[in-house]
Amino acid sequence: RVWVTYGTEVFDVTDFVELHPGGPDKILLAAGGALEPFWALYAVHSQPHVLELLRDYKVGELSPEDAAKPTGDTEDPFAGDPPRHPALRVNSLKPFNAEPPPELLTQSFLTPNELFFTRNHLPVPSVEPGSYRLRVEGPGGRGLSLSLAELRQRFPKHEVTATLQCAGNRRSEMSRVRPVKGLAWDIGAISTARWGGARLRDVLLAAGLGDKTGEDGEWHVCFEGLDVDASGTPYGASIPLKRALSADAEVLLAYEMNGQELPRDHGFPVRVLVPGVVGARSVKWLRSVVVSPSESPSHWQQNDYKGFCPSVDWDSVDFSSAPAIQELPVQSAITEPRPGAAVPAGEITVKGYAWSGGGREVVRVDVSLDGGRSWRVAELGPRPARGRGWAWALWELRAPVAAGTRLDIVCKAVDSSYNVQPDSVAPIWNLRGVLSNAWHRVPVTVTR
Amino acid sequence: RVWVTYGTEVFDVTDFVELHPGGPDKILLAAGGALEPFWALYAVHSQPHVLELLRDYKVGELSPEDAAKPTGDTEDPFAGDPPRHPALRVNSLKPFNAEPPPELLTQSFLTPNELFFTRNHLPVPSVEPGSYRLRVEGPGGRGLSLSLAELRQRFPKHEVTATLQCAGNRRSEMSRVRPVKGLAWDIGAISTARWGGARLRDVLLAAGLGDKTGEDGEWHVCFEGLDVDASGTPYGASIPLKRALSADAEVLLAYEMNGQELPRDHGFPVRVLVPGVVGARSVKWLRSVVVSPSESPSHWQQNDYKGFCPSVDWDSVDFSSAPAIQELPVQSAITEPRPGAAVPAGEITVKGYAWSGGGREVVRVDVSLDGGRSWRVAELGPRPARGRGWAWALWELRAPVAAGTRLDIVCKAVDSSYNVQPDSVAPIWNLRGVLSNAWHRVPVTVTR
């Protein structure tokens, strides 16, 4: 049977599951735990009649031990990690890596902070905002050391609605072709927020670092986080200086996410936010910004997050032979229905997201119900009117379906450069399982 | 038997075909016609011993009638078109549309002007350079009327090595899926040159038209050519003003092509050259540049050169629903060997080109000999060290092949945003046959 808690009370909601106005799949996400985190996300629940309705299902109280919060282990470097939303699907607990379930991913254009996919490489640092300092330096520049207050006050706040995607999103589909090294992300290592912060461009210009884009090759901006491994080595990454200095590229040193201060899991108090670029370059818990003639020497810049030919294995790989991933290719996935679902005959509603890197807006999503033999054009949801295509498009297709049939639902997106997704996974397979952007396929059966 | 001419002399070179140092396929391109246009392209022939060698094969003289040039038809609007190189494969004579044969396409990084693919929509205008004027205008600007000498002298000459590709390149592969409307281009509607001219940016700034990129929506730069249809309507197209004003985008008003003045077929005396963008926007025989809040009203901007879902047909198409093609997606094709060829056992050499739009450099080309089941990485040829990835990469793969086997050679390219080509043609099929960039496939047999 299905139970949930609210405060210290326990409710058996088995008979309510099918009556849930948001659908049975949504209420089942809370099964076996507390309702509060879900009700906090969906404001429709904060009405008196909802709680009254719940009281009808009360079956008891939590024991005092179960109601008490667990105590941390002081030997564990991850003991200081923040609490997380129970709806997140955890791919790795330490370091914490988790994605929202597909059913919630496309519930809203902006992903609630609590559900935004989290990709941590190391323990979450505890930062005292009053003593935080951001170091900004480079050859010929005036070194800056900025407090959080200075970052907020010296530079105009700029806001960008942008999607972040992990290079490993949809890796689990690639693993099914041949095993790869990496976390088994499903389709949820992608989320969208409204970010606020100082433009990196403004900060670099204030530090006298705006003039390194001449003829002497490409320069870079290297970022380091406050998150460190056991040897004290921080997470690091870099982007081309040209992008950092471009007003159009809108690279931020962000301190706000959907109108709130950055959550600890997303880089409190300051993170880099590079629109249109793989999430790995949007360094969290930012401690330094260094302009350099070379890319970041970090492991994650040099020997990870790169793409290779399917024939390259761990014996033959030469990481120096491939460029570090920056802009990501065009992507889309189906969030509803779920693979293997049984859907009622009549009309099916297919939902999903589509996005492309580099500010290339999604111009069309094609959906097939017959494995790619025939295609229909999905309806794209509303998107911000202004600015470049930094954010995803949510899309939907309604189509009649006959009882007793099997559907092989497929989606593929087209971006403003008319780039398309590849048909199949095997030819883009790579040993790290990154850049998995083949057509997304969801088989379902039609009942009744 | 195989004959060629040189001057008024006729030679039977049948016995020389297999001895030709450049390979039998190259000499056969001249079969049945004059040698001069080919010798002019490949300087190796301008040595005395080559002509001596040819004399051994002399069999006669041209009759006076055959030696005389044909006279033009004054009623024909195309009668004033320039002479063309006989190696070009003609897809349409009036208007003239032709591509170099694949064997010649990747002989050199820069395509010789005589072999550069030609895509004319209308008769080639005859322009008297002394009286040529280019009109430049827009709201709030100072209208300019520039002579050719003013364009050359008032603005610094800027040079760009860039590949141009027709939206319809490789259309014939799409037609094999289902008929489409359009010229049956093979893989040669793509070529590369070193272009020289004034930056469009500099000309727009001189005309006081540099300030229309504010918050009031996207502005455009509309181009018209001197080529007109029977009703007097010129060819026209537009690009976003943002691209036109960007120093990085390097948009030219070009008057030089590979160090020579523009050939008539390529826009003499001035054409637009938009690197990284579909050839259709690089308007030839340029007569006007107009900054506007709207895209060009031209047929070719509004109702052509757009991509659609495969299910859209001529009854259902709504041209306003799709964006005009600007940047093109990643592309590659195999130029050697040719489909259906018999290649000797031992080692095979596969050659081709790869390119992507928007300045996204090609970072890898994968080649398969077994239809896409296994892949090898091709070797990329040298490219210009400086600048963005406006130009193609020529590539080559050598691999051992066993006698008596059939090879299904396939290539696919990856660009710097890690975009890849789709596996198959049918899912990207569209009624105009544009954007044909699926894996290129060349079946061959291995002999001996």
Side-chain angles (χ1 to χ4, degrees):
Chain A
R1 297 188 65 86
V2 179
W3 61 267
V4 295
T5 69
Y6 187 81
T8 59
E9 298 176 296
V10 181
F11 307 87
D12 182 332
V13 292
T14 311
D15 299 333
F16 181 70
V17 166
E18 286 295 327
L19 306 175
H20 183 237
D25 55 331
K26 307 295 189 307
I27 194 172
L28 286 173
L29 292 169
L35 284 175
E36 285 90 336
F38 294 90
W39 286 17
L41 282 180
Y42 302 106
V44 66
H45 297 94
S46 47
Q47 303 180 71
H49 80 269
V50 176
L51 203 53
E52 280 165 37
L53 196 149
L54 183 66
R55 300 264 183 242
D56 296 343
Y57 297 96
K58 180 163 177 181
V59 293
E61 294 273 341
L62 283 176
S63 70
E65 307 89 73
D66 285 344
K69 286 189 182 161
T71 54
D73 171 0
T74 52
E75 293 296 295
D76 179 359
F78 295 92
D81 272 19
R84 276 91 184 207
H85 197 280
L88 289 172
R89 300 262 170 91
V90 178
N91 294 317
S92 153
L93 202 56
K94 299 174 182 184
F96 189 72
N97 287 280
E99 62 190 295
E103 306 88 296
L104 297 186
L105 186 60
T106 53
Q107 283 285 102
S108 55
F109 185 80
L110 296 179
T111 315
N113 289 358
E114 296 78 5
L115 293 183
F116 204 98
F117 88 92
T118 304
R119 201 288 178 244
N120 295 345
H121 296 82
L122 296 161
V124 176
S126 284
V127 183
E128 170 51 51
S131 55
Y132 171 81
R133 286 290 180 287
L134 174 64
R135 191 164 53 84
V136 182
E137 59 185 43
R142 297 176 292 282
L144 292 183
S145 174
L146 297 168
S147 71
L148 189 53
E150 286 168 329
L151 189 69
R152 285 173 172 272
Q153 289 154 19
R154 260 184 81 172
F155 305 96
K157 184 167 94 173
H158 187 78
E159 290 190 280
V160 178
T161 300
T163 296
L164 278 187
Q165 183 182 218
C166 178
N169 190 30
R170 301 182 58 200
R171 178 180 283 129
S172 52
E173 291 161 69
M174 218 166 243
S175 309
R176 288 199 280 274
V177 171
R178 223 155 65 232
V180 300
K181 275 195 194 169
L183 297 164
W185 295 107
D186 187 16
I187 63 171
I190 183 167
S191 301
T192 300
R194 177 91 178 148
W195 308 91
R199 273 187 202 263
L200 174 57
R201 168 188 161 81
D202 295 341
V203 174
L204 291 174
L205 293 178
L209 294 165
D211 61 348
K212 290 289 184 296
T213 48
E215 292 299 298
D216 47 349
E218 187 176 65
W219 280 62
H220 304 268
V221 183
C222 302
F223 309 116
E224 282 183 356
L226 289 157
D227 49 336
V228 295
D229 68 13
S231 75
T233 306
Y235 182 79
S238 62
I239 62 171
L241 178 60
K242 191 161 207 149
R243 181 179 292 275
L245 288 176
S246 159
D248 281 349
E250 301 188 273
V251 181
L252 298 186
L253 303 183
Y255 44 75
E256 278 184 13
M257 181 177 180
N258 290 326
Q260 301 176 290
E261 68 180 16
L262 281 185
R264 287 189 60 211
D265 260 336
H266 298 289
F268 178 82
V270 177
R271 74 174 299 170
V272 186
L273 193 283
V274 193
V277 162
V278 63
R281 312 302 168 213
S282 286
V283 173
K284 301 194 277 194
W285 313 291
L286 187 65
R287 75 177 191 193
S288 68
V289 172
V290 179
V291 172
S292 159
S294 311
E295 282 187 284
S296 166
S298 155
H299 166 79
W300 293 279
Q301 188 79 19
Q302 298 292 333
N303 298 317
D304 199 352
Y305 296 124
K306 296 184 171 189
F308 295 96
C309 179
S311 60
V312 172
D313 61 24
W314 288 100
D315 293 328
S316 63
V317 65
D318 170 11
F319 271 95
S320 72
S321 71
I325 300 170
Q326 296 282 348
E327 294 183 359
L328 284 170
V330 60
Q331 174 72 289
S332 71
I334 296 158
T335 55
E336 294 182 42
R338 300 300 304 145
V343 300
E347 188 181 66
I348 190 173
T349 301
V350 184
K351 292 186 182 184
Y353 64 76
W355 179 76
S356 188
R360 288 180 286 282
E361 199 159 19
V362 168
V363 301
R364 200 180 80 233
V365 175
D366 296 336
V367 177
S368 174
L369 303 180
D370 58 9
R373 278 180 296 282
S374 68
W375 298 91
R376 296 150 198 252
V377 179
E379 191 172 334
L380 302 184
R383 281 171 290 173
R386 289 283 160 87
R388 295 182 60 187
W390 300 129
W392 63 14
L394 302 184
W395 54 264
E396 187 174 308
L397 179 91
R398 290 166 194 271
V401 289
T405 54
R406 283 188 53 83
L407 307 179
D408 183 7
I409 312 176
V410 185
C411 72
K412 63 180 174 80
V414 182
D415 74 16
S416 57
S417 297
Y418 280 101
N419 274 298
V420 298
Q421 298 176 241
D423 311 19
S424 59
V425 183
I428 58 165
W429 184 96
N430 60 84
L431 74 180
R432 266 297 264 124
V434 292
L435 303 159
S436 182
N437 73 327
W439 299 353
H440 188 224
R441 292 174 171 272
V442 170
V444 302
T445 52
V446 184
T447 58
R448 239 175 296 157
Chain B
R1 297 190 62 88
V2 179
W3 61 267
V4 295
T5 69
Y6 187 82
T8 59
E9 297 176 298
V10 181
F11 307 88
D12 180 331
V13 292
T14 311
D15 300 333
F16 180 69
V17 167
E18 286 295 327
L19 305 173
H20 183 237
D25 55 333
K26 306 297 189 305
I27 193 172
L28 286 173
L29 292 169
L35 283 175
E36 286 91 335
F38 294 90
W39 286 17
L41 283 180
Y42 303 107
V44 66
H45 298 94
S46 49
Q47 303 179 75
H49 80 269
V50 175
L51 203 53
E52 281 165 35
L53 195 149
L54 183 67
R55 301 261 183 247
D56 295 345
Y57 297 95
K58 180 164 178 180
V59 291
E61 294 273 341
L62 283 176
S63 70
E65 307 87 76
D66 285 344
K69 286 187 182 164
T71 54
D73 171 0
T74 51
E75 293 296 295
D76 179 359
F78 295 93
D81 272 19
R84 277 92 184 205
H85 197 279
L88 289 173
R89 302 260 170 92
V90 178
N91 294 317
S92 154
L93 200 56
K94 298 174 181 184
F96 190 71
N97 287 280
E99 62 189 299
E103 308 87 297
L104 298 185
L105 186 60
T106 54
Q107 283 284 102
S108 55
F109 184 81
L110 296 180
T111 315
N113 288 358
E114 295 79 3
L115 293 183
F116 204 98
F117 87 91
T118 302
R119 202 288 177 242
N120 294 346
H121 296 81
L122 296 162
V124 177
S126 282
V127 183
E128 169 51 51
S131 54
Y132 172 80
R133 287 289 180 285
L134 175 63
R135 189 165 54 85
V136 182
E137 59 185 42
R142 296 176 291 284
L144 292 183
S145 173
L146 297 167
S147 71
L148 188 54
E150 285 169 332
L151 189 69
R152 285 173 172 272
Q153 287 154 22
R154 258 184 83 172
F155 305 96
K157 184 167 95 174
H158 187 77
E159 290 189 281
V160 178
T161 301
T163 295
L164 278 187
Q165 184 183 218
C166 178
N169 192 28
R170 300 181 60 200
R171 177 180 285 132
S172 52
E173 291 160 69
M174 218 166 244
S175 310
R176 287 198 280 274
V177 171
R178 221 155 66 232
V180 300
K181 275 195 195 168
L183 297 164
W185 295 106
D186 188 15
I187 62 171
I190 183 169
S191 300
T192 300
R194 178 90 176 148
W195 308 91
R199 276 187 201 262
L200 174 57
R201 168 187 162 81
D202 296 341
V203 174
L204 290 175
L205 293 178
L209 294 166
D211 60 348
K212 291 288 183 298
T213 49
E215 292 299 299
D216 47 348
E218 188 175 62
W219 279 62
H220 304 268
V221 183
C222 302
F223 309 116
E224 282 184 355
L226 289 158
D227 48 335
V228 294
D229 68 14
S231 77
T233 306
Y235 183 80
S238 62
I239 62 171
L241 178 61
K242 192 161 207 150
R243 180 178 294 273
L245 288 175
S246 159
D248 281 350
E250 301 188 272
V251 181
L252 298 186
L253 303 183
Y255 44 75
E256 278 184 14
M257 181 176 180
N258 290 326
Q260 300 174 292
E261 68 180 16
L262 280 186
R264 287 190 60 210
D265 260 335
H266 298 289
F268 179 81
V270 177
R271 74 175 299 171
V272 186
L273 193 283
V274 194
V277 161
V278 62
R281 311 304 167 210
S282 286
V283 174
K284 302 193 277 192
W285 314 291
L286 186 65
R287 75 175 190 192
S288 68
V289 171
V290 178
V291 171
S292 161
S294 311
E295 283 187 283
S296 167
S298 155
H299 166 81
W300 295 278
Q301 188 80 18
Q302 299 293 334
N303 297 318
D304 199 353
Y305 297 125
K306 297 184 172 189
F308 295 94
C309 178
S311 60
V312 173
D313 61 23
W314 288 101
D315 292 327
S316 63
V317 66
D318 169 10
F319 272 96
S320 72
S321 70
I325 301 171
Q326 295 282 346
E327 294 184 358
L328 284 170
V330 60
Q331 174 71 289
S332 71
I334 297 157
T335 55
E336 295 182 40
R338 299 302 302 144
V343 301
E347 188 181 66
I348 191 173
T349 301
V350 184
K351 291 186 182 183
Y353 64 77
W355 180 74
S356 189
R360 288 179 287 280
E361 197 158 22
V362 167
V363 301
R364 203 179 79 233
V365 175
D366 297 337
V367 177
S368 173
L369 302 180
D370 57 9
R373 279 181 293 283
S374 68
W375 298 92
R376 297 150 197 251
V377 179
E379 190 171 336
L380 301 184
R383 279 171 292 170
R386 288 285 160 86
R388 295 182 61 187
W390 301 130
W392 63 13
L394 301 184
W395 55 264
E396 188 173 309
L397 179 91
R398 290 166 194 270
V401 289
T405 53
R406 283 189 52 82
L407 307 179
D408 184 7
I409 312 176
V410 185
C411 72
K412 63 180 174 80
V414 182
D415 75 16
S416 57
S417 296
Y418 279 102
N419 274 299
V420 298
Q421 298 175 241
D423 308 20
S424 58
V425 182
I428 58 166
W429 184 96
N430 59 83
L431 73 178
R432 266 297 264 125
V434 293
L435 303 158
S436 182
N437 75 328
W439 299 353
H440 189 223
R441 292 174 171 273
V442 170
V444 302
T445 52
V446 185
T447 57
R448 236 173 297 158

